[in-house]
Amino acid sequence: MDSRRYSFVVVANRLPVDRTDDGWTRSPGGLVSALEPIARGAHGAWVGWIGVPGDDVEPFEHDGVRLLPVQLSAEDVDRYYEGQSNSTIWPLFHHGVETPVHRRAWRVAYEEVNRRFADAAARVAAEGATVWVHDYQLLLVPAMLREARPDLRIGFFLHIPFPPVELFMQLPRRVDLLRGLLGADLVGFQQSLAAHNFLQLSARLLGLQPEGEQVRYDGRTVTARAFPISIDVGEIEKLAADHTVRAESRRLRRELGGDRTLLLGVDRLDYTKGIEQRIEAYGELLDDGTISNREAVLVQVATPSRMRVAQYQQLRERVEREVGRINGEFGDVGKAPVHYLFQSRTREELVALYLAADLMLVTPLRDGMNLVAKEYVAARSDERGALVLSEFTGAAEELPDAFQVNPYDTDDLERGIAAALRADPADLTARMRRMRAHIADHDVNRWAQEFLDALGR
Ligand code: ADQ
């Protein structure tokens, strides 16, 4: 048991560390690099799961932040995480690009586990502390925390889209989820459209009349606003300038056939990311002769993700079948049109790929933000390369200089890829320069600071 109290507490599904052979290391990713320094500076605490079912780990200190593990059994992981979070809420919030599954036992587990997170945070938060809750796994936590600790300042940030009212209405126990979020003082979203959907829903389900970006609820004011998340620009720039990374990038280009145009996709293997649509479009471009296997090559890195969920296994099979078909039909000995890597890669390897790629393909059917698009731009200090970007990502709102496409429309996807391939180098440089200026000015530290400033007010 931890008897200390903290004036700043982060609550997220995962703790910001991964277990390795020699202890704990910080998890990769922008969120952790943005929040850890803030938590450290505030002598704060972080409540989350360590990522292994059944493991009972005592609270411990890591890099000046107190980590408070919440324990999940194998059944909790099955029902709360893989079930309600990733088979119900995830697909529904991504505008139903896969059919959400509804199960009573999952909802019960979701509520129980949310209660566990809320209790843990309520126990360690100091009087009047700021608590920042993250993401769709913990939608009920703000209200639970408010009930136990009305003295707290509670912020919530949703990393994924928030669906339109008609879709949200399909959710069993929808009012509870909405009330859960309304427990916060500030609810942050990636895009203004999501904040708008949330306010509309509050009007529809609870008759709350929005005034601008606020509603009155339970005698308090709740603010809903967009805070587009970003990346640790400094980290990516540093990697992109590193000699080993640059040498690796040159090696990759040589291996793939030095003068071939390199197209790149980097995603978790997830049906929201539009990987199938992208590969299909690439196949059609080969088929109609717009692209030839001699002149171009596609590298698709797909990180294994949620592989115990049936929809993800099925996606993997479909993608692998399509890659096999295209390589069989259009390939040559020693020259495959598609290099498909179902693997995780280090940050160094990813940045080497970004530096090597002429075209970055980011084509999700729906994505809260998409950090890969921003990482690619941040890596291109040479001001070369082109970004093909789905309109249905949060990033599209900030990057009008990308070649924007509708991934549901194969013709439009092909048009976007072809336009980027044919573009004048001076035009590409001008676009990249503008995108880089925007990203440099909007990094993840600014995001965190703006959210916390708004919460503090
Ligand atoms: P994700 O859906 O995971 O995040 P994304 O924003 O692209 O999607 O972030 C993925 C991160 O993982 C990137 O930093 C990327 O570099 C890294 N990554 C991807 N493939 C990798 C690989 N093969 N090896 C190593 N690292 C890899 C959710 C939401 C997004 C939102 C983020 C942050 O779905 O919309 O942008 O949270 O809020």
Side-chain angles (χ1 to χ4, degrees):
M1 257 315 280
D2 221 8
S3 56
R4 270 182 277 171
R5 296 283 176 274
Y6 302 86
S7 58
F8 180 66
V9 182
V10 174
V11 187
N13 177 58
R14 282 295 312 273
L15 285 173
V17 291
D18 295 312
R19 203 202 281 273
T20 61
D21 291 342
D22 17 85
W24 299 94
T25 57
R26 192 169 95 169
S27 315
L31 178 68
V32 171
S33 39
L35 291 185
E36 243 211 352
I38 297 171
R40 191 181 312 124
H43 303 292
W46 191 306
V47 174
W49 176 45
I50 58 161
V52 184
D55 237 3
D56 191 5
V57 178
E58 287 297 310
F60 61 103
E61 199 90 6
H62 187 269
D63 265 356
V65 181
R66 189 75 180 161
L67 304 186
L68 305 161
V70 171
Q71 206 190 338
L72 297 185
S73 67
E75 190 179 271
D76 292 331
V77 175
D78 193 48
R79 295 180 175 180
Y80 144 79
Y81 183 68
E82 283 160 0
Q84 185 69 7
S85 297
N86 287 326
S87 304
T88 310
I89 297 175
W90 176 270
L92 192 126
F93 277 38
H94 284 87
H95 296 206
V97 297
E98 276 277 348
T99 308
V101 182
H102 300 287
R103 294 235 201 298
R104 196 175 290 118
W106 294 353
R107 289 196 293 278
V108 172
Y110 185 85
E111 188 175 336
E112 276 171 19
V113 171
N114 271 240
R115 173 84 55 200
R116 213 174 294 160
F117 277 82
D119 287 350
R123 268 199 306 274
V124 298
E127 178 71 23
T130 296
V131 182
W132 193 357
V133 184
H134 287 265
D135 226 2
Y136 64 100
Q137 301 93 348
L138 303 175
L139 297 174
L140 299 173
V141 168
M144 291 171 166
L145 203 49
R146 167 84 46 204
E147 202 189 345
R149 293 289 307 273
D151 58 298
L152 300 176
R153 195 83 192 143
I154 303 172
F156 181 92
F157 185 77
L158 185 68
H159 291 258
I160 68 175
F162 194 84
V165 174
E166 310 82 74
L167 252 172
F168 194 95
M169 296 300 279
Q170 293 176 7
L171 273 171
R173 311 275 310 260
R174 58 205 181 189
V175 182
D176 295 349
L177 291 175
L178 176 62
R179 286 187 196 278
L181 288 175
L182 286 165
D185 298 295
L186 175 64
V187 188
F189 299 92
Q190 303 276 26
Q191 286 189 272
S192 41
L193 179 67
H196 171 81
N197 287 345
F198 173 78
L199 291 170
Q200 292 289 305
L201 182 74
S202 309
R204 170 81 169 268
L205 278 181
L206 296 170
L208 310 180
Q209 277 320 311
E211 281 178 33
E213 54 189 12
Q214 298 184 323
V215 286
R216 293 285 301 168
Y217 174 70
D218 211 16
R220 297 176 295 114
T221 299
V222 180
T223 304
R225 185 185 301 167
F227 296 88
I229 201 170
S230 192
I231 55 166
D232 183 347
V233 177
E235 181 227 13
I236 299 287
E237 283 183 343
K238 201 165 140 213
L239 286 172
D242 183 273
H243 287 304
T244 333
V245 171
R246 298 189 79 86
E248 172 62 8
S249 152
R250 288 192 294 273
R251 188 194 68 81
L252 284 164
R253 281 211 70 107
R254 270 198 313 279
E255 292 282 318
L256 291 161
D259 47 0
R260 277 162 112 197
T261 304
L262 172 56
L263 294 86
L264 175 67
V266 172
D267 316 78
R268 276 187 306 100
L269 187 74
D270 194 297
Y271 50 76
T272 59
K273 302 289 183 186
I275 300 170
E276 278 181 285
Q277 288 73 5
R278 182 185 313 160
I279 291 174
E280 188 196 329
Y282 193 69
E284 286 194 5
L285 289 169
L286 284 166
D287 197 28
D288 71 15
T290 308
I291 287 178
S292 90
N293 185 37
R294 266 178 294 107
E295 290 160 4
V297 58
L298 170 64
V299 173
Q300 174 65 55
V301 183
T303 317
S305 177
R306 306 175 190 167
M307 285 316 294
R308 283 159 38 97
V309 177
Q311 288 163 330
Y312 288 76
Q313 291 162 12
Q314 289 152 12
L315 171 70
R316 177 184 178 185
E317 282 163 23
R318 291 197 303 271
V319 168
E320 292 182 354
R321 198 176 316 129
E322 185 62 8
V323 169
R325 184 187 72 77
I326 292 175
N327 282 342
E329 232 169 277
F330 303 102
D332 220 328
V333 174
K335 219 170 211 179
V338 184
H339 291 247
Y340 170 73
L341 308 170
F342 180 59
Q343 298 161 15
S344 188
R345 292 272 149 158
T346 64
R347 305 292 293 162
E348 287 77 8
E349 288 170 315
L350 276 191
V351 174
L353 279 164
Y354 293 152
L355 285 173
D358 301 292
L359 246 68
M360 183 79 218
L361 306 181
V362 179
T363 60
L365 301 175
R366 194 90 227 174
D367 212 332
M369 177 51 63
N370 195 288
L371 298 180
V372 169
K374 293 186 170 183
E375 288 169 359
Y376 178 69
V377 169
R380 299 311 300 242
S381 49
D382 59 357
E383 296 179 337
R384 295 175 64 183
L387 175 63
V388 175
L389 182 62
S390 161
E391 306 166 5
F392 300 109
T393 61
E397 217 169 60
E398 293 177 76
L399 299 173
D401 281 299
F403 291 84
Q404 298 209 358
V405 294
N406 170 5
Y408 291 94
D409 178 351
T410 314
D411 292 334
D412 194 55
L413 198 45
E414 292 172 21
R415 178 204 52 76
I417 296 173
L421 281 172
R422 279 196 306 264
D424 173 43
D427 176 34
L428 292 183
T429 300
R431 285 170 183 257
M432 187 54 82
R433 198 172 285 160
R434 286 191 294 264
M435 291 195 287
R436 287 178 57 76
H438 177 84
I439 302 286
D441 198 34
H442 294 81
D443 80 346
V444 73
N445 294 309
R446 174 169 172 181
W447 166 81
Q449 214 46 64
E450 285 183 354
F451 184 93
L452 291 172
D453 286 350
L455 180 58
R457 257 180 261 131

